[in-house]
Amino acid sequence: DVLLVESGGRSVQPGMSLRLSCSASGFTFANYGMNWVRQAPGKGLRWVAHVSASGDRTFHADSVKGRFTISRDNAKNAIFLQLTSLTAEDTAVYFCAKNLGGSNSSPFDVWGQGTPVTVSS
Amino acid sequence: SYELTQPPSVSVAPGQTATVTCGGTDIGKKNVHWYQQRPGQAPVLVIHYDTDRPSGIPERFSGSNSGNTATLSIRGVEAGDEADYYCQVWDRSSGHGVFGGGTKLTVL
């Protein structure tokens, strides 16, 4: 079965940093683009970042550019999201999502269950 | 930045057809994808590339896209279809993924 499992979410204070991980299994990981999508409590889905299949191209939402960094390790079948300078507005469940194909414009066909991040003093 | 507009809520009686719209400038020129999210669960892809159903999605789900509006239709609505529905595109000009604000479907 195709599976994505996120980890690393926890409660932190404003200004702190955090690293989220997403472990993939059940498919040829290096062939697919990957994404992070977040959902604040009671709010809608917001795309956060994309990394290409090879890892050579990344894209980040304006709201996180310069603070968050997406990366991947194809040898470990995993993607990561480094979060820095966290604020209360970053409080959300963070989902890992796989692109259907190699293109960044292809849909998100597999999702993890999400990992919660809470930023509060 | 590109924006997608969805109605906050849609209500429909069981057995009827639910229609969820997604508005955006020249959205007909983009590939639109639709996701269903039940409370406390991860989203599920129900329509991709405007009209295509992924494997396992009932034929009751269909999509269309033209001009400035994309539409998700659910024929013969069931209680189990009650969920939030999101449209999504990739905006090539900004290199960003974009989601609509979501529509809560209530089955009366």
Side-chain angles (χ1 to χ4, degrees):
Chain A
D1 288 355
V2 177
L3 193 63
L4 299 174
V5 179
E6 303 93 337
S7 62
R10 61 185 179 94
S11 183
V12 297
Q13 293 184 330
M16 292 185 65
S17 299
L18 204 56
R19 190 193 198 207
L20 306 182
S21 301
C22 171
S23 179
S25 61
F27 62 101
T28 306
F29 182 72
N31 287 353
Y32 297 92
M34 297 291 295
N35 302 266
W36 288 99
V37 175
R38 69 182 180 181
Q39 186 169 36
K43 302 297 185 182
L45 301 173
R46 291 291 181 265
W47 173 82
V48 174
H50 167 88
V51 60
S52 64
S54 63
D56 62 340
R57 290 181 301 146
T58 61
F59 302 84
H60 296 82
D62 290 345
S63 59
V64 306
K65 194 172 294 184
R67 298 189 303 121
F68 293 6
T69 303
I70 189 172
S71 62
R72 68 189 294 159
D73 185 336
N74 284 348
K76 295 183 178 179
N77 284 3
I79 68 167
F80 309 97
L81 187 67
Q82 181 71 39
L83 297 72
T84 65
S85 301
L86 285 162
T87 72
E89 286 66 44
D90 298 316
T91 294
V93 174
Y94 286 73
F95 294 99
C96 168
K98 167 188 167 292
N99 284 109
L100 178 63
S103 167
N104 51 19
S105 65
S106 62
F108 310 144
D109 66 331
V110 181
W111 296 67
Q113 284 304 304
T115 188
V117 173
T118 302
V119 184
S120 174
S121 55
Chain B
S1 60
Y2 194 76
E3 295 184 355
L4 296 174
T5 302
Q6 297 183 235
S9 63
V10 168
S11 299
V12 64
Q16 299 303 302
T17 297
T19 300
V20 180
T21 59
C22 176
T25 302
D26 289 330
I27 195 173
K29 297 180 180 179
K30 299 182 181 297
N31 293 315
V32 179
H33 316 302
W34 290 91
Y35 303 87
Q36 175 194 68
Q37 186 181 32
R38 295 189 174 102
Q41 297 187 18
V44 173
L45 180 66
V46 293
I47 292 289
H48 57 75
Y49 296 108
D50 300 341
T51 61
D52 297 342
R53 276 178 296 103
S55 174
I57 301 301
E59 291 184 12
R60 303 183 296 104
F61 288 79
S62 64
S64 64
N65 185 20
S66 178
N68 294 316
T69 305
T71 302
L72 171 70
S73 297
I74 309 172
R75 176 174 45 84
V77 165
E78 304 171 354
D81 298 329
E82 195 161 275
D84 293 326
Y85 291 85
Y86 296 89
C87 57
Q88 180 256 322
V89 302
W90 181 266
D91 180 32
R92 291 185 185 277
S93 64
S94 63
H96 289 172
V98 181
F99 283 95
T103 298
K104 180 177 180 59
L105 174 63
T106 299
V107 181
L108 300 171

